[in-house]
Structures are given as C-alpha cells and as structure tokens.
Amino acid sequence: MTLRIVLLGAPGAGKGTQAQRLAATHGLVHISTGDMFRAHLKQGTELGQRVQDYLSSGRLVPDDLTCAIVTDRLVQPDCAQGYILDGFPRSAPQAEALDAFFTDNGQKLDVAVDIAVADEDIVDRLSARRSCPACGAIYNLKYGPSKRGGLCDRENCSGELILRDDDREETIRKRLQVYHQTTAPVIGYYGNQGILKTVDATGLTPDDVFARIEEILCGLKGA
Ligand code: AMP
C-alpha cells in the first residue's frame, strides 16, 4: 500500500523523530521542509538567502516559496513509493495548495496525524534538543542523548552536535505563537476532511508515540 502521510504538531512535538522512524519502517520518503530550507541555507543558495531571516526568527517562510519547494519534491520519482510530510502544510493556504497538487496528480492523502503536546513540555524538550548539522540526526539531552556526548553517534558521521538557533527559548516561544495562530487551523482543515488522527503525546516516550502511530497506520491498512 502506498502511504501518503502528513505529520502535524507544534515544533518540538517530535514530528522529525517519528517521521524518520516511520520512513525507515515503511519504506517512505521523508520530506521535511525545515531540513530542505536548512540545506539551502548551508549551501548558500539563493533560496537559502531568501529564507534565512525567517528561519532564524522562527517566522514562517512565505507560502509561495514553501509550496513550490514541496511540489517540486513530490514529483520526483522516489515519491511514487509514498511519503511522509513533516512540517508541511503549516498554514491553511499550504493545505489547500497540497490538495490542488493531489487533484492535479490523481493522488490522495491517507491520513494526517497530529502529535499533540502541551506548550510547556515543548519548551522543555526543545531547549534540550541537539541536532547534527552533518546528517540531520536529532538527539535530546534528557530523552535520547548521543552515546558519544557532543558528537553524532550515527555510523560514518561524528558531526558535532549543536543547539539550533531556533531552539533557543525565546525563539521557541515565538514559534509556538506562530504555530497556534497559523498552523493550528490546519488541524481543523483535516478534521473536516475526516482524515485527522490525534495522538496525545504529553508524557509519552518517543517509543510510545511511535506505537500509537503504528496502530493508526495498521487501522488504515485494514480499512
Ligand atoms: P522545522 O524544522 O520544521 O521546525 O522548520 C524550521 C523553520 O523552517 C520554521 O521555523 C520556518 O521558518 C521554516 N519552515 C519549515 N516548514 C515550513 C512551512 N511549511 N511553511 C513555512 N515555513 C516553514
């Protein structure tokens, strides 16, 4: 079964971690708009320069730029095997643009999974998050540290782990505010379509959240 999944949730809800794991388990392509923008920033492309201020201040990149980068990615041949969108859509116009893409390409979304976490938990988690700029691996000082301290412990990596600028407390609060204003309506959008599933992740470990999402996907396959 070709799965097309949207993962929703505030920044720091664990979308990236779950998306990486789901992609590996189900052979899906993991598409993270945040990772794509960061790759452009790192490579110093024109797009990277255009999005730099948005990323460092925690504001959303304009919809037209974001939708273009996603739809360009979705038409790549590897996406025919199914994909997980992590961090997109993040506004009602983005959700509408994604639906327009599906209509044009004869595809449909199977499920939108919302990973719901209380704001204070998010602040707690994100300020303990460490990322590997080399391979994109995510660690957490409290819940899942690297076995090699400040270095990435993935095979053939050893990147030096960093606290992303946008994971600093002040920026996290700004991102949460943006999330509640702009992204939360996307939850209602998929609720109205009848394809929304919510996992209340407050107090759950990443393994527990993964197990809940797997149950949801199993339900789809049985449907
Ligand atoms: P993330 O790693 O998903 O938290 O994304 C990091 C940053 O990239 C966000 O704070 C935004 O500035 C930008 N970004 C990622 N995805 C989107 C999106 N769907 N729409 C607009 N901006 C985005």
Side-chain angles (χ1 to χ4, degrees):
M1 178 181 175
T2 308
L3 284 170
R4 295 187 196 91
I5 305 170
V6 159
L7 276 190
L8 301 170
K15 296 188 298 294
T17 307
Q18 298 300 333
Q20 282 177 5
R21 213 166 147 183
L22 290 164
T25 307
H26 297 277
L28 304 171
V29 178
H30 173 198
I31 299 172
S32 154
T33 38
D35 284 351
M36 287 161 94
F37 288 136
R38 278 185 290 277
H40 278 273
L41 261 181
K42 202 172 151 193
Q43 289 158 18
T45 65
E46 195 197 325
L47 177 66
Q49 285 165 18
R50 287 175 76 183
V51 302
Q52 184 166 19
D53 285 351
Y54 295 101
L55 263 78
S56 58
S57 63
R59 283 174 304 141
L60 289 185
V61 172
D63 288 332
D64 53 345
L65 281 182
T66 307
C67 293
I69 195 176
V70 172
T71 50
D72 282 356
R73 182 67 188 90
L74 293 183
V75 294
Q76 300 301 315
D78 59 342
C79 287
Q81 70 201 57
Y83 45 81
I84 304 180
L85 286 165
D86 157 16
F88 181 92
R90 247 164 149 125
S91 67
Q94 290 181 13
E96 286 159 14
L98 183 61
D99 271 345
F101 172 86
F102 287 144
T103 307
D104 291 347
N105 290 275
Q107 298 183 1
K108 73 172 187 51
L109 191 63
D110 294 292
V111 67
V113 179
D114 175 32
I115 306 177
V117 183
D119 279 9
E120 282 317 307
D121 267 35
I122 300 257
V123 175
D124 214 44
R125 280 186 196 192
L126 279 189
S127 39
R129 184 156 89 166
R130 295 295 178 270
S131 313
C132 175
C135 74
I138 300 162
Y139 299 89
N140 189 290
L141 296 179
K142 288 188 192 162
Y143 308 107
S146 163
K147 296 183 192 74
R148 301 178 57 204
L151 297 181
C152 181
D153 59 22
R154 275 203 187 160
E155 216 179 330
N156 300 325
C157 185
S158 299
E160 215 165 301
L161 303 183
I162 55 159
L163 171 66
R164 271 170 33 192
D165 274 351
D166 57 352
D167 283 343
R168 294 179 195 281
E169 179 164 347
E170 191 188 303
T171 318
I172 297 168
R173 298 223 178 256
K174 172 73 193 163
R175 290 166 74 198
L176 283 172
Q177 192 192 348
V178 169
Y179 171 75
H180 289 301
Q181 276 167 2
T182 317
T183 311
V186 177
I187 295 171
Y189 183 90
Y190 289 121
N192 288 338
Q193 290 191 357
I195 55 169
L196 177 73
K197 300 280 179 191
T198 303
V199 174
D200 181 357
T202 305
L204 295 190
T205 64
D207 282 351
D208 293 336
V209 175
F210 182 71
R212 298 272 170 93
I213 300 177
E214 282 291 273
E215 277 171 27
I216 291 170
L217 298 185
C218 247
L220 294 179
K221 286 180 180 170

mmCIF file with all atom_site columns, all heavy atoms in Angstrom, residues 90-106:
data_model
loop_
_atom_site.group_PDB
_atom_site.id
_atom_site.type_symbol
_atom_site.label_atom_id
_atom_site.label_alt_id
_atom_site.label_comp_id
_atom_site.label_asym_id
_atom_site.label_entity_id
_atom_site.label_seq_id
_atom_site.pdbx_PDB_ins_code
_atom_site.Cartn_x
_atom_site.Cartn_y
_atom_site.Cartn_z
_atom_site.occupancy
_atom_site.B_iso_or_equiv
_atom_site.pdbx_formal_charge
_atom_site.auth_seq_id
_atom_site.auth_comp_id
_atom_site.auth_asym_id
_atom_site.auth_atom_id
_atom_site.pdbx_PDB_model_num
ATOM 1   N N   . ARG A 1 90  ? 1.730  23.977 6.881   1.00 0.00 ? 90  ARG A N   1
ATOM 2   C CA  . ARG A 1 90  ? 1.774  24.702 8.144   1.00 0.00 ? 90  ARG A CA  1
ATOM 3   C C   . ARG A 1 90  ? 0.840  25.904 8.123   1.00 0.00 ? 90  ARG A C   1
ATOM 4   O O   . ARG A 1 90  ? 0.902  26.743 9.024   1.00 0.00 ? 90  ARG A O   1
ATOM 5   C CB  . ARG A 1 90  ? 3.190  25.208 8.359   1.00 0.00 ? 90  ARG A CB  1
ATOM 6   C CG  . ARG A 1 90  ? 3.899  24.540 9.528   1.00 0.00 ? 90  ARG A CG  1
ATOM 7   C CD  . ARG A 1 90  ? 5.352  24.833 9.345   1.00 0.00 ? 90  ARG A CD  1
ATOM 8   N NE  . ARG A 1 90  ? 6.102  24.941 10.534  1.00 0.00 ? 90  ARG A NE  1
ATOM 9   C CZ  . ARG A 1 90  ? 7.203  24.201 10.735  1.00 0.00 ? 90  ARG A CZ  1
ATOM 10  N NH1 . ARG A 1 90  ? 7.550  23.263 9.896   1.00 0.00 ? 90  ARG A NH1 1
ATOM 11  N NH2 . ARG A 1 90  ? 7.910  24.399 11.805  1.00 0.00 ? 90  ARG A NH2 1
ATOM 12  N N   . SER A 1 91  ? 0.018  26.025 7.132   1.00 0.00 ? 91  SER A N   1
ATOM 13  C CA  . SER A 1 91  ? -0.981 27.106 7.079   1.00 0.00 ? 91  SER A CA  1
ATOM 14  C C   . SER A 1 91  ? -2.115 26.595 6.202   1.00 0.00 ? 91  SER A C   1
ATOM 15  O O   . SER A 1 91  ? -1.918 25.652 5.416   1.00 0.00 ? 91  SER A O   1
ATOM 16  C CB  . SER A 1 91  ? -0.377 28.372 6.453   1.00 0.00 ? 91  SER A CB  1
ATOM 17  O OG  . SER A 1 91  ? -0.083 28.132 5.091   1.00 0.00 ? 91  SER A OG  1
ATOM 18  N N   . ALA A 1 92  ? -3.293 27.222 6.338   1.00 0.00 ? 92  ALA A N   1
ATOM 19  C CA  . ALA A 1 92  ? -4.434 26.785 5.526   1.00 0.00 ? 92  ALA A CA  1
ATOM 20  C C   . ALA A 1 92  ? -4.124 26.900 4.026   1.00 0.00 ? 92  ALA A C   1
ATOM 21  O O   . ALA A 1 92  ? -4.398 25.963 3.269   1.00 0.00 ? 92  ALA A O   1
ATOM 22  C CB  . ALA A 1 92  ? -5.686 27.552 5.919   1.00 0.00 ? 92  ALA A CB  1
ATOM 23  N N   . PRO A 1 93  ? -3.519 28.017 3.550   1.00 0.00 ? 93  PRO A N   1
ATOM 24  C CA  . PRO A 1 93  ? -3.215 28.073 2.109   1.00 0.00 ? 93  PRO A CA  1
ATOM 25  C C   . PRO A 1 93  ? -2.272 26.952 1.662   1.00 0.00 ? 93  PRO A C   1
ATOM 26  O O   . PRO A 1 93  ? -2.390 26.441 0.547   1.00 0.00 ? 93  PRO A O   1
ATOM 27  C CB  . PRO A 1 93  ? -2.552 29.446 1.929   1.00 0.00 ? 93  PRO A CB  1
ATOM 28  C CG  . PRO A 1 93  ? -3.053 30.270 3.065   1.00 0.00 ? 93  PRO A CG  1
ATOM 29  C CD  . PRO A 1 93  ? -3.242 29.322 4.210   1.00 0.00 ? 93  PRO A CD  1
ATOM 30  N N   . GLN A 1 94  ? -1.341 26.544 2.511   1.00 0.00 ? 94  GLN A N   1
ATOM 31  C CA  . GLN A 1 94  ? -0.449 25.429 2.144   1.00 0.00 ? 94  GLN A CA  1
ATOM 32  C C   . GLN A 1 94  ? -1.246 24.127 2.037   1.00 0.00 ? 94  GLN A C   1
ATOM 33  O O   . GLN A 1 94  ? -1.007 23.315 1.139   1.00 0.00 ? 94  GLN A O   1
ATOM 34  C CB  . GLN A 1 94  ? 0.676  25.261 3.170   1.00 0.00 ? 94  GLN A CB  1
ATOM 35  C CG  . GLN A 1 94  ? 1.698  26.386 3.137   1.00 0.00 ? 94  GLN A CG  1
ATOM 36  C CD  . GLN A 1 94  ? 2.836  26.191 4.140   1.00 0.00 ? 94  GLN A CD  1
ATOM 37  O OE1 . GLN A 1 94  ? 3.016  25.123 4.709   1.00 0.00 ? 94  GLN A OE1 1
ATOM 38  N NE2 . GLN A 1 94  ? 3.615  27.250 4.345   1.00 0.00 ? 94  GLN A NE2 1
ATOM 39  N N   . ALA A 1 95  ? -2.195 23.923 2.953   1.00 0.00 ? 95  ALA A N   1
ATOM 40  C CA  . ALA A 1 95  ? -3.016 22.700 2.908   1.00 0.00 ? 95  ALA A CA  1
ATOM 41  C C   . ALA A 1 95  ? -3.844 22.689 1.626   1.00 0.00 ? 95  ALA A C   1
ATOM 42  O O   . ALA A 1 95  ? -3.997 21.647 0.965   1.00 0.00 ? 95  ALA A O   1
ATOM 43  C CB  . ALA A 1 95  ? -3.916 22.622 4.136   1.00 0.00 ? 95  ALA A CB  1
ATOM 44  N N   . GLU A 1 96  ? -4.355 23.859 1.249   1.00 0.00 ? 96  GLU A N   1
ATOM 45  C CA  . GLU A 1 96  ? -5.146 23.949 0.011   1.00 0.00 ? 96  GLU A CA  1
ATOM 46  C C   . GLU A 1 96  ? -4.262 23.690 -1.211  1.00 0.00 ? 96  GLU A C   1
ATOM 47  O O   . GLU A 1 96  ? -4.672 22.999 -2.144  1.00 0.00 ? 96  GLU A O   1
ATOM 48  C CB  . GLU A 1 96  ? -5.810 25.325 -0.091  1.00 0.00 ? 96  GLU A CB  1
ATOM 49  C CG  . GLU A 1 96  ? -6.988 25.448 0.865   1.00 0.00 ? 96  GLU A CG  1
ATOM 50  C CD  . GLU A 1 96  ? -7.358 26.894 1.193   1.00 0.00 ? 96  GLU A CD  1
ATOM 51  O OE1 . GLU A 1 96  ? -6.880 27.812 0.494   1.00 0.00 ? 96  GLU A OE1 1
ATOM 52  O OE2 . GLU A 1 96  ? -8.100 27.097 2.167   1.00 0.00 ? 96  GLU A OE2 1
ATOM 53  N N   . ALA A 1 97  ? -3.034 24.226 -1.180  1.00 0.00 ? 97  ALA A N   1
ATOM 54  C CA  . ALA A 1 97  ? -2.110 24.013 -2.312  1.00 0.00 ? 97  ALA A CA  1
ATOM 55  C C   . ALA A 1 97  ? -1.766 22.520 -2.433  1.00 0.00 ? 97  ALA A C   1
ATOM 56  O O   . ALA A 1 97  ? -1.655 21.986 -3.540  1.00 0.00 ? 97  ALA A O   1
ATOM 57  C CB  . ALA A 1 97  ? -0.844 24.839 -2.126  1.00 0.00 ? 97  ALA A CB  1
ATOM 58  N N   . LEU A 1 98  ? -1.625 21.857 -1.298  1.00 0.00 ? 98  LEU A N   1
ATOM 59  C CA  . LEU A 1 98  ? -1.314 20.426 -1.333  1.00 0.00 ? 98  LEU A CA  1
ATOM 60  C C   . LEU A 1 98  ? -2.496 19.650 -1.930  1.00 0.00 ? 98  LEU A C   1
ATOM 61  O O   . LEU A 1 98  ? -2.312 18.756 -2.758  1.00 0.00 ? 98  LEU A O   1
ATOM 62  C CB  . LEU A 1 98  ? -1.001 19.922 0.087   1.00 0.00 ? 98  LEU A CB  1
ATOM 63  C CG  . LEU A 1 98  ? -0.598 18.461 0.204   1.00 0.00 ? 98  LEU A CG  1
ATOM 64  C CD1 . LEU A 1 98  ? 0.686  18.165 -0.580  1.00 0.00 ? 98  LEU A CD1 1
ATOM 65  C CD2 . LEU A 1 98  ? -0.404 18.067 1.681   1.00 0.00 ? 98  LEU A CD2 1
ATOM 66  N N   . ASP A 1 99  ? -3.707 20.023 -1.551  1.00 0.00 ? 99  ASP A N   1
ATOM 67  C CA  . ASP A 1 99  ? -4.881 19.369 -2.129  1.00 0.00 ? 99  ASP A CA  1
ATOM 68  C C   . ASP A 1 99  ? -4.952 19.593 -3.641  1.00 0.00 ? 99  ASP A C   1
ATOM 69  O O   . ASP A 1 99  ? -5.316 18.684 -4.385  1.00 0.00 ? 99  ASP A O   1
ATOM 70  C CB  . ASP A 1 99  ? -6.168 19.866 -1.458  1.00 0.00 ? 99  ASP A CB  1
ATOM 71  C CG  . ASP A 1 99  ? -6.506 19.024 -0.230  1.00 0.00 ? 99  ASP A CG  1
ATOM 72  O OD1 . ASP A 1 99  ? -5.921 17.926 -0.100  1.00 0.00 ? 99  ASP A OD1 1
ATOM 73  O OD2 . ASP A 1 99  ? -7.329 19.475 0.584   1.00 0.00 ? 99  ASP A OD2 1
ATOM 74  N N   . ALA A 1 100 ? -4.595 20.809 -4.058  1.00 0.00 ? 100 ALA A N   1
ATOM 75  C CA  . ALA A 1 100 ? -4.615 21.097 -5.503  1.00 0.00 ? 100 ALA A CA  1
ATOM 76  C C   . ALA A 1 100 ? -3.594 20.200 -6.206  1.00 0.00 ? 100 ALA A C   1
ATOM 77  O O   . ALA A 1 100 ? -3.863 19.654 -7.282  1.00 0.00 ? 100 ALA A O   1
ATOM 78  C CB  . ALA A 1 100 ? -4.299 22.569 -5.745  1.00 0.00 ? 100 ALA A CB  1
ATOM 79  N N   . PHE A 1 101 ? -2.425 20.013 -5.569  1.00 0.00 ? 101 PHE A N   1
ATOM 80  C CA  . PHE A 1 101 ? -1.404 19.127 -6.150  1.00 0.00 ? 101 PHE A CA  1
ATOM 81  C C   . PHE A 1 101 ? -1.962 17.699 -6.264  1.00 0.00 ? 101 PHE A C   1
ATOM 82  O O   . PHE A 1 101 ? -1.798 17.031 -7.285  1.00 0.00 ? 101 PHE A O   1
ATOM 83  C CB  . PHE A 1 101 ? -0.132 19.133 -5.280  1.00 0.00 ? 101 PHE A CB  1
ATOM 84  C CG  . PHE A 1 101 ? 0.878  18.114 -5.695  1.00 0.00 ? 101 PHE A CG  1
ATOM 85  C CD1 . PHE A 1 101 ? 1.816  18.404 -6.691  1.00 0.00 ? 101 PHE A CD1 1
ATOM 86  C CD2 . PHE A 1 101 ? 0.890  16.833 -5.134  1.00 0.00 ? 101 PHE A CD2 1
ATOM 87  C CE1 . PHE A 1 101 ? 2.736  17.443 -7.109  1.00 0.00 ? 101 PHE A CE1 1
ATOM 88  C CE2 . PHE A 1 101 ? 1.804  15.868 -5.540  1.00 0.00 ? 101 PHE A CE2 1
ATOM 89  C CZ  . PHE A 1 101 ? 2.727  16.180 -6.534  1.00 0.00 ? 101 PHE A CZ  1
ATOM 90  N N   . PHE A 1 102 ? -2.628 17.227 -5.218  1.00 0.00 ? 102 PHE A N   1
ATOM 91  C CA  . PHE A 1 102 ? -3.192 15.872 -5.244  1.00 0.00 ? 102 PHE A CA  1
ATOM 92  C C   . PHE A 1 102 ? -4.213 15.733 -6.372  1.00 0.00 ? 102 PHE A C   1
ATOM 93  O O   . PHE A 1 102 ? -4.214 14.744 -7.102  1.00 0.00 ? 102 PHE A O   1
ATOM 94  C CB  . PHE A 1 102 ? -3.858 15.528 -3.908  1.00 0.00 ? 102 PHE A CB  1
ATOM 95  C CG  . PHE A 1 102 ? -2.880 15.281 -2.793  1.00 0.00 ? 102 PHE A CG  1
ATOM 96  C CD1 . PHE A 1 102 ? -3.151 15.680 -1.494  1.00 0.00 ? 102 PHE A CD1 1
ATOM 97  C CD2 . PHE A 1 102 ? -1.672 14.633 -3.035  1.00 0.00 ? 102 PHE A CD2 1
ATOM 98  C CE1 . PHE A 1 102 ? -2.243 15.448 -0.468  1.00 0.00 ? 102 PHE A CE1 1
ATOM 99  C CE2 . PHE A 1 102 ? -0.752 14.392 -2.011  1.00 0.00 ? 102 PHE A CE2 1
ATOM 100 C CZ  . PHE A 1 102 ? -1.043 14.808 -0.729  1.00 0.00 ? 102 PHE A CZ  1
ATOM 101 N N   . THR A 1 103 ? -5.084 16.719 -6.495  1.00 0.00 ? 103 THR A N   1
ATOM 102 C CA  . THR A 1 103 ? -6.096 16.676 -7.549  1.00 0.00 ? 103 THR A CA  1
ATOM 103 C C   . THR A 1 103 ? -5.424 16.611 -8.921  1.00 0.00 ? 103 THR A C   1
ATOM 104 O O   . THR A 1 103 ? -5.775 15.777 -9.759  1.00 0.00 ? 103 THR A O   1
ATOM 105 C CB  . THR A 1 103 ? -7.008 17.928 -7.469  1.00 0.00 ? 103 THR A CB  1
ATOM 106 O OG1 . THR A 1 103 ? -7.506 18.009 -6.143  1.00 0.00 ? 103 THR A OG1 1
ATOM 107 C CG2 . THR A 1 103 ? -8.163 17.849 -8.438  1.00 0.00 ? 103 THR A CG2 1
ATOM 108 N N   . ASP A 1 104 ? -4.410 17.469 -9.121  1.00 0.00 ? 104 ASP A N   1
ATOM 109 C CA  . ASP A 1 104 ? -3.729 17.510 -10.425 1.00 0.00 ? 104 ASP A CA  1
ATOM 110 C C   . ASP A 1 104 ? -3.001 16.210 -10.736 1.00 0.00 ? 104 ASP A C   1
ATOM 111 O O   . ASP A 1 104 ? -2.778 15.881 -11.894 1.00 0.00 ? 104 ASP A O   1
ATOM 112 C CB  . ASP A 1 104 ? -2.681 18.646 -10.456 1.00 0.00 ? 104 ASP A CB  1
ATOM 113 C CG  . ASP A 1 104 ? -3.343 20.015 -10.440 1.00 0.00 ? 104 ASP A CG  1
ATOM 114 O OD1 . ASP A 1 104 ? -4.574 20.073 -10.651 1.00 0.00 ? 104 ASP A OD1 1
ATOM 115 O OD2 . ASP A 1 104 ? -2.631 21.001 -10.195 1.00 0.00 ? 104 ASP A OD2 1
ATOM 116 N N   . ASN A 1 105 ? -2.558 15.504 -9.681  1.00 0.00 ? 105 ASN A N   1
ATOM 117 C CA  . ASN A 1 105 ? -1.726 14.325 -9.897  1.00 0.00 ? 105 ASN A CA  1
ATOM 118 C C   . ASN A 1 105 ? -2.432 13.013 -9.567  1.00 0.00 ? 105 ASN A C   1
ATOM 119 O O   . ASN A 1 105 ? -1.790 11.962 -9.481  1.00 0.00 ? 105 ASN A O   1
ATOM 120 C CB  . ASN A 1 105 ? -0.434 14.441 -9.070  1.00 0.00 ? 105 ASN A CB  1
ATOM 121 C CG  . ASN A 1 105 ? 0.467  15.529 -9.635  1.00 0.00 ? 105 ASN A CG  1
ATOM 122 O OD1 . ASN A 1 105 ? 1.237  15.290 -10.546 1.00 0.00 ? 105 ASN A OD1 1
ATOM 123 N ND2 . ASN A 1 105 ? 0.315  16.743 -9.122  1.00 0.00 ? 105 ASN A ND2 1
ATOM 124 N N   . GLY A 1 106 ? -3.737 13.081 -9.358  1.00 0.00 ? 106 GLY A N   1
ATOM 125 C CA  . GLY A 1 106 ? -4.513 11.857 -9.105  1.00 0.00 ? 106 GLY A CA  1
ATOM 126 C C   . GLY A 1 106 ? -4.069 11.134 -7.845  1.00 0.00 ? 106 GLY A C   1
ATOM 127 O O   . GLY A 1 106 ? -4.065 9.899  -7.789  1.00 0.00 ? 106 GLY A O   1
#
